[in-house]
Amino acid sequence: MKKQLDIIGQGLPKHDAGLRVSGKAIYGQDIVLPGMLYGAILRTEHPSASFSLDLTDALALPGVVCILTADDVDVNRIGYKRDHPVLKQGEVCCIRDEIAAVAAETREIAEAAVRRIKVQYEVRKPCCDPFDALQEEAPLINRYASGKFSNKNIAETFHYAHGDLDAERTRSRIILNRRFTLPRMTHACLGPSSITADYDVVSRKLKLYSSTQVPFLYQRDMAHALKMPPSDIRIIQPIIGGGFGSKLDMYPFEVICALLSMRTGRPVQIVYSRKEEFIASPTRQPMVIDLTAGIDADGKFTFREVDIVKDNGAYTSWGATTPFVIMQAFSSLYKVRACRFDAKAVYTHNVFAGSFRGYGNPQATFALERMIDLLADAIGMDKAVIRRINANEPGEITGQGLHYETCGHGECLDVVIRQSADARSTAIDAASRDRARYRSGVGFASMLHVGGGAKIYRSDGCGTTVRIDPYGHCTIITGSTEIGQGSETVLAMIAAEELGISLDRITVINSDTDVKPWDVGVHASRTSFVAGNSLLGAIAILRPKLESKARQLLQSGDIDLLFRNGRIETNDGEAHIALDKVVREMHFGEPNELAVASYFYEPPSQFQDAGFKGNVSGSYAFAAQAIEVEVDCCTGNVRVKNVWVAQDVGKVLNQMLLEGQIHGGVLQGIGYALYEELLMDEGYILNPNFHNYKLPTAADVPPIHFHPVETYDRHGPYGAKGVGEAPLIPTAAAIANAVSNAIGVEISSLPVTPEKVLRALEENKHKLHLA
Amino acid sequence: MKKQLDIIGQGLPKHDAGLRVSGKAIYGQDIVLPGMLYGAILRTEHPSASFSLDLTDALALPGVVCILTADDVDVNRIGYKRDHPVLKQGEVCCIRDEIAAVAAETREIAEAAVRRIKVQYEVRKPCCDPFDALQEEAPLINRYASGKFSNKNIAETFHYAHGDLDAERTRSRIILNRRFTLPRMTHACLGPSSITADYDVVSRKLKLYSSTQVPFLYQRDMAHALKMPPSDIRIIQPIIGGGFGSKLDMYPFEVICALLSMRTGRPVQIVYSRKEEFIASPTRQPMVIDLTAGIDADGKFTFREVDIVKDNGAYTSWGATTPFVIMQAFSSLYKVRACRFDAKAVYTHNVFAGSFRGYGNPQATFALERMIDLLADAIGMDKAVIRRINANEPGEITGQGLHYETCGHGECLDVVIRQSADARSTAIDAASRDRARYRSGVGFASMLHVGGGAKIYRSDGCGTTVRIDPYGHCTIITGSTEIGQGSETVLAMIAAEELGISLDRITVINSDTDVKPWDVGVHASRTSFVAGNSLLGAIAILRPKLESKARQLLQSGDIDLLFRNGRIETNDGEAHIALDKVVREMHFGEPNELAVASYFYEPPSQFQDAGFKGNVSGSYAFAAQAIEVEVDCCTGNVRVKNVWVAQDVGKVLNQMLLEGQIHGGVLQGIGYALYEELLMDEGYILNPNFHNYKLPTAADVPPIHFHPVETYDRHGPYGAKGVGEAPLIPTAAAIANAVSNAIGVEISSLPVTPEKVLRALEENKHKLHLA
C-alpha cells in the first residue's frame, strides 16, 4: 500500500557531513598500513624530449627501497586507446610524463630520492597546437597512436548526421557561422589524488585503496595493465575529496604504485602534492568549435553544422569520447531539423584531457547558446522568445533518437524568463547608457543532459543488496560509488521512506569491490537514478517477506500494511509490530530466514548504433539558466549578480543536496566562464598552483535562485532524474550571453577574463558609438 | 549432480597464512585513525580495598586529553550477571579492577598520566578461597550479586539429575569418592587485547574495532552498557592474535575505550601490555570437583554424583555457564545410568574466570577419566577395556537427551588402544622397575563435546550471502567469525568445491556487523558446521540460477551440469562455458540478475529445558587420546613421549588445518596438564609474565599420532562435525592417568608440576615398596 512520502523530498544534510567537518573522514592519505612505504614519481622537465637516467645517487640514499623505470617493468599500456605507457622509455611527449618512481621508508626520503635521479634530456620542439599537429610536417606525437585515421596525429573521430541539410539550408532565412574556443580547465579537487597499493606476494593478490569513481572498470583496466586476472584485484574506495569526473580514468601513478608494492612486497602509498595535482591530473577538453547554424523566417532552428578539433594532449583518455555528449547537445537541444557533426581529437605535446563534469556539454552548450543569441539578434527576435519557441517538448523523439518521455525544458525556460524579467529590463536600460562604467546584462542558456544513465558499456546497471538486522538496522550494499555527490544519503532516504525507519538506522556500504555488487561507476549523473531504482527493486523483494511475517505475528489476515515509525502497522495504526522484532522472528523463528534481498537494475536504454542514434538514457534532464552580470568597463571585471536556475529534476529527492549540487555546479560554471584556465606555453604549465590558477571561492557565490521543475518521469525513482552535472552545463554560456548583452560585443572564447573584456571593448569602440 | 570431492578433505594452508607470516596482517594494534588518541587504564594495587583518587598531577600533564573515573560516566554494569561496574566507584574487589582511564595524544603520555594519578587505599583482607567465601562470616564480595541464592557470595548454581541414583548405588559393586582440584589457567594469547573506539559526535554512532568473537552479542552488550541502541554500534573485527574463548565476554576496557572516545569526540585506542594481558584477561574456571562414581560387577558405569565449587572471582562472566558443558561430560560421556550434578560459582576476591576452549570440559574430563582409572584399578579391569565396554554408541540418546545420531567413540578408543599397545606393554614393564629413575606410563582419556553448535541463545544460526562477480570472483559474506581457527579457509574450500572454481578466486568477508549477516559468534566449535551449512544453503540457491543461464547459453536442454575448472560443463565435458561468462550474461543479459544468494541456517537442535535436558547440538564429537609419558623420579619432570589422538570429526574438511587444531589443542592440553597456572596469593597475581607463567612452546611438541575417524553425520557439511575444542579436552586427563600409571600415585590436581610429582613419590614411598 502506498503511503505519503515522509522523507523523500526533505532537505537533509549529507549523512557523512559530520565526519567530513570533524576531520574524522578517512581520505586516501589517511590510510596507514603496517610496513607501508611511500612512493614518489619523477616526471619529465620537458614536454618533448628523449632522455637517459642515472639512478646511482638516488639508490644510495638510505631508506630508498626500490626505484622503477620503464626498463624494470612488464606492463601493458593504459588509457582508452591503450596508447599510454605507464613509465616512459627514453622519450617523453608531455610535461606530465612519468619517467621513474621511488618507494622509500618515508615520504621525505622518496621525494629526496626523486630529486637525486639524474636525467639527461635531448630537448625537442614540442607541437602544441592541434591545427599544427594536423600538418603534414608535424612530428608523430604518440608512437602508439592507432594509425587508422587519415592523419597520424588523429586520436579519434566522430561523425553524426540527421535530417536533410541541403533542404534546411535552403529553408533558412539566416545562416551564421562562428568559431568558438574553449580553454583547458582542471578539476582542482581539494583532496589530492592518492593511492595505496598492497600486494600480497603469497596469494599474489593486489588490494588498492583507490579514489576511482568506476571501481569495476578500473579493476579490469588495472588487471590489463598489470597482466593479472581482474579477480585478483580488490578495490577499496576511501572517502575522496572531490571527483568531478577526474577519477574516471586510471592514471600511470596508480599502476606505478601497484608495481612498487609488487616489487617490494610491502604496501606503498602515493599522494600527490598540490603542484602535482595541477600538473598530473586531467583537464576539461580544450577545443575549437566551428558552428554554422540556420534559422527560418518563423525563428525555428533549421540546421546545425559542427566541426570540432579537440586538443587530445599526448595520450587518449575517456575524455576522447566526450563527442558522444557534445553531439547530443547539437543534435537534440532545442528542436532542430537537421544536424551534421564532425569531431576529431588530435594529439599534441600538451597534457592530456580527461573527463570532467558535463563531459563536453558545457563546451557544446557555450557554442550553441552563443549562436542562438547571434541568430536572435540577426533575425530580430527576443532572446527569450527564440528559445521558448524552439524548446524541446514531452513525447519528442529527437533526430538522434532520444526519447523525451518527460521534458520540462519549456517550463524551465518559462521560469527563468519570468524571474529575470526585471533584471532584463534594467539591463537593457543600462546597456543603452553606453558610456557608463558599470553595465548590466542578462543572458540565457538551456541544457539537455542524460538523466537516467547513459548506456556506454554493455550494462548501465547497478546491483543492490539490502538487509535488516535483528536490531532493526538496515544496510544497503550498493554497487554505486559516492564521490561527494550525496548518493549515499539519497539511498538511505529511499530505504528510510520505504521501510519506515529513521535515517540513523541505515548504513550504506559501497566501497569494496569484493563486497558490493557490480555497477558501471559514477558518471553521467546516473547514481540516484540507477542505484535508486536498484535499491527500490531490492526493497520490493524484501518488503513482502517482512509483511508476510508481520501478518503472521499480528494475525492480521490479508490486509494492507504500512511501514512507519520503525514499525509495520495496519492502515488504522491499531495493530503494529516493531520492525526489528519482525526481523528477529524471521531469523529465529521457523522457517529461519534472513531479512535480505538483492536486485540488479538495468535502465530501459539502448546502445547507440554506428551512426550514434538510439535512446541512450532512461530519462533526460533539462535546465535553463538566466544570469545577470555587471561588467566593469574600466577594469574589465565581470561580476555575477544573479543566477536564476530552473531544472527539470523529475522529482526532488533531497532539497538540500539538490541545492548543493546547483550551487556547486553554478560556481564551477562561473569558474569556467570567468576565471579558470590551466595556462600552457609550448607544453609547459604556467600556473600549477592556487595563486595563479583562479578558482572561485565561497566569497564568489552570487545569489542563486533555484526552482526545481518536477516532471515525474515514470522510469525514475519517485520520478527523479539525474541532476549532478546539469547545473554547471549552461552557466558559462549564460554568463557569456549576459556579458555580450551588457556590453554589446561578441564573446567567443572562455574564460571571459578582464583582458578579453577590455580588448573587446576597445575593438568595438567604433561600433558601440554607432549603437 | 554430485561430483567427486576435489577440494574438500585436502590439506591446504590457511588462506591468510601469507599475511600473517609476512607481517601484513592488520591486528587491532595496527589500526591508525586520523586524530586518534591512546588510552591507558589505572588498575587497583590491592584486591580488596576502598580508595580515593587525586587526578591533579595527571591532568596537568601536557597531552592528556581526558581522564575518566566512575564519577564521570553514566553506564550500566556489564557481565553475564550485570554485576560488574565498568569503572569502580570507591571500592575494588579484585586486582584487575579499573579505577580510572586516561586518553592522551600518545601511548607514552597516557601511561605516564596513569602513573601520576594518586590513589589512597584503605586495604581490606581479601577472601580468596571459595569455601571461605561460603562461610557465614565472610564479607559480601560483590555488592551487585543477585542475592537470590542461599548464600550471599553465590553467583550461580546448576542442578541436574537423571536416572535412579539409589537403585544404581545399590547395584554398584564398587563406589569411589574423590576430590579433584583444577587450577587457574590463562589464555596467554600472543596478540594482546586491543580495541579502537571511534565515536562520531554528529551522528552519535560508535564504531568499534574489536577483537570480540561474538560481534552481534557484543553489539547488544555494548549498547546496554552505554545506554545506546545496538543499531548505533558497528563492530569491525581486525585479525586477532589468539582467542581461545577469551573474547567471548565484553570487558571493562572495551567500554572504557568507547567512553573515552565519546567524551573526547576522537578515536581512542587501548592496547594491553603483556603484564596487563596476564592481569586483566579472563582465566579458565578454577574449581573443586567432588565426584562419587559407581561401577557394577560387569564393569558398567552405574552412577555419578558430582558437586562442584567454582571460584567465580569477583565478577560473573559467561564462564559462569560452563556447568552446561561440565554436566554434559558427567551425564553423557560413556554410558552411565544415573547422574546427579550440582555446581555453584562462588564470588571471591580473585580475578574472574571466563570462557576458555573446552568451556569446563577439560576440568570435567580430568575428574571423570581419573575416576575411571581408579574404578578400573578397584575392580581389577584393564583401563582400555573398561572404557571400551562403556563407550557411547551411534543411535544412543543419553540420560540428558543428547541424541548421538553418529558416534565414533568406540572406534576412537579402538584406534588409540591399538596404537598405544606397544607403549603400554613397555610402560608396564618399566613401572615394574620400581626404582628406575625414568619411568614410563600410558594413560587414556575420551571426550564428548558438541559438534554441531550449542543452542544457548535463541538462535544458534548463521547467515550467508554468496555472490559471483562478472570476473568470476566469488565473495562469501558470512556471519561467522574467524579467530584463527581457519574457518575462512574451510568456507572458501566449500565454495571452491561447489562452484568448481579455484581458491584464489574466493574472498571471505566476515568482519563488519554492518555487512555480515547475523551469527551467534565463535564458540562451541560450531563455525565449520553452522557456517558451512549456511554457505551450502546459499550455494544451493545460487547454483540453479547459474545452471539455468548456462543451459540457455549452451542450449544444452535439461541435462545435468557440473561446476568444474572455472566452468559449467556437461557431464561428458563436451559442452562447457566459463563461469564468469555465465555471470556476465546473468548481469548484462535479459532478465538482468545478480549472481547472488542468501541463506540462514539454523541447526536442528533444541534449547534445553529447566532441568537441562534436550538435544542441544546438531551433532556430537567424540575423541580418545592415549598418551605416553616418562617421569623423571629424580627431578619430578614429566616428559610427554607420544600422543595418540583419534577423533570423530565426522568428515575431514581440511587435513592440514585439522592437524593444526589437533596439535594446538594437544599442546594447550599439555600446558594445562604440566605447566600452566596463574598463581595467586591473597588476590595478588604472582606470575604475570612469560618468564614465570610457563607456556609450552614449539620445542615441547611431542610426536602426535593423529587418526581422524569419519562418521559422516547427516547434519554436517559433507558429514563434518566441530573439531576446534576437542583435542584439548582429554589431554590433561590422559597425561594425569599416564603419570599415575608410570609412578603408581594418585594425581588429583593440575598442573602436575615436578614438586607435586616428587611430593607424591615421597608420600607413596611405602606403598610403592609394597607393590
Side-chain angles (χ1 to χ4, degrees), chain A residues 24 198 205 467 471 516, chain B residues 24 198 467 504 516:
Chain A
K24 285 171 149 284
D198 186 5
K205 294 202 184 196
R467 60 144 213 183
Y471 304 124
K516 68 182 192 175
Chain B
K24 284 170 148 286
D198 186 5
R467 62 143 211 182
D504 58 11
K516 67 183 194 173

Side-chain angles (χ1 to χ4, degrees), chain B residues 159-169 171 301-305 331 336-341 398-401 611 613:
Chain B
H159 170 75
Y160 164 84
H162 79 253
D164 183 342
L165 269 177
D166 288 340
E168 294 303 331
R169 210 179 276 115
R171 200 187 284 184
F301 299 146
T302 48
F303 78 96
R304 295 168 188 158
E305 285 198 273
S331 78
V336 60
R337 293 195 286 264
C339 178
R340 177 192 62 78
F341 174 93
T398 77
Q400 201 182 351
K613 286 181 184 157

Side-chain angles (χ1 to χ4, degrees), chain A residues 212-507:
Chain A
T212 178
Q213 58 189 75
V214 290
F216 291 99
L217 304 188
Y218 185 91
Q219 195 179 22
R220 187 200 56 177
D221 289 350
M222 184 63 76
H224 176 263
L226 297 173
K227 305 183 178 179
M228 287 172 72
S231 75
D232 281 354
I233 298 178
R234 180 173 178 181
I235 313 295
I236 314 278
Q237 301 169 273
I239 290 179
I240 73 176
F244 311 114
S246 63
K247 276 82 175 177
L248 190 68
D249 278 279
M250 187 181 75
Y251 301 106
F253 83 98
E254 300 173 288
V255 184
I256 288 169
C257 195
L259 289 166
L260 289 170
S261 180
M262 292 166 86
R263 187 59 62 99
T264 60
R266 291 168 64 179
V268 180
Q269 183 172 89
I270 294 180
V271 178
Y272 271 13
S273 67
R274 178 53 57 189
K275 183 176 175 188
E276 216 168 7
E277 186 69 23
F278 273 101
I279 290 180
S281 294
T283 71
R284 189 180 289 288
Q285 305 284 316
M287 62 183 69
V288 171
I289 302 176
D290 286 311
L291 172 60
T292 306
I295 190 169
D296 68 14
D298 300 329
K300 296 291 182 83
F301 298 146
T302 49
F303 78 97
R304 295 170 188 157
E305 287 196 89
V306 189
D307 288 283
I308 295 182
V309 173
K310 293 169 50 190
D311 182 349
N312 194 61
Y315 306 105
T316 313
S317 72
W318 271 107
T321 68
T322 46
F324 273 114
V325 177
I326 297 173
M327 73 174 69
Q328 199 167 282
F330 286 112
S331 78
S332 304
L333 176 57
Y334 303 100
K335 291 180 194 153
V336 60
R337 293 196 287 265
C339 178
R340 178 191 61 78
F341 175 94
D342 280 281
K344 50 173 90 78
V346 180
Y347 287 113
T348 66
H349 284 115
N350 289 325
V351 295
F352 60 98
S355 129
F356 197 152
R357 192 178 190 180
Y359 213 74
N361 207 342
Q363 293 97 311
T365 301
F366 171 74
L368 179 60
E369 290 285 358
R370 278 298 301 135
M371 177 59 86
I372 291 172
D373 266 18
L374 295 173
L375 290 168
D377 282 342
I379 204 162
M381 279 183 84
D382 181 84
K383 285 162 185 147
V385 173
I386 195 173
R387 288 178 166 84
R388 192 60 190 83
I389 65 171
N390 286 287
N392 298 112
E393 289 180 322
E396 183 183 344
I397 297 176
T398 77
Q400 202 183 352
L402 316 184
H403 184 188
Y404 302 155
E405 292 196 37
T406 57
C407 172
H409 189 193
E411 189 180 343
C412 288
L413 280 166
D414 289 343
V415 168
V416 300
I417 290 168
R418 191 173 60 243
Q419 291 183 334
S420 62
D422 286 353
R424 273 191 97 197
S425 53
T426 320
I428 290 162
D429 289 352
S432 69
R433 292 195 308 269
D434 257 6
R435 298 195 177 275
R437 172 171 175 180
Y438 298 101
R439 301 182 202 164
S440 289
V442 172
F444 294 105
S446 300
M447 81 97 219
L448 149 73
H449 206 68
V450 290
K455 195 138 185 168
I456 49 118
Y457 190 75
R458 189 168 167 206
S459 164
D460 192 31
C462 173
T464 303
T465 293
V466 62
R467 60 144 213 183
I468 308 176
D469 76 15
Y471 304 124
H473 193 86
C474 171
T475 300
I476 301 162
I477 305 181
T478 176
S480 66
T481 289
E482 167 77 49
I483 57 166
Q485 78 273 43
S487 62
E488 287 177 358
T489 307
V490 167
L491 293 177
M493 288 172 74
I494 291 174
E497 184 71 56
E498 297 297 317
L499 298 168
I501 56 181
S502 62
L503 274 171
D504 59 10
R505 287 287 174 100
I506 299 167
T507 306

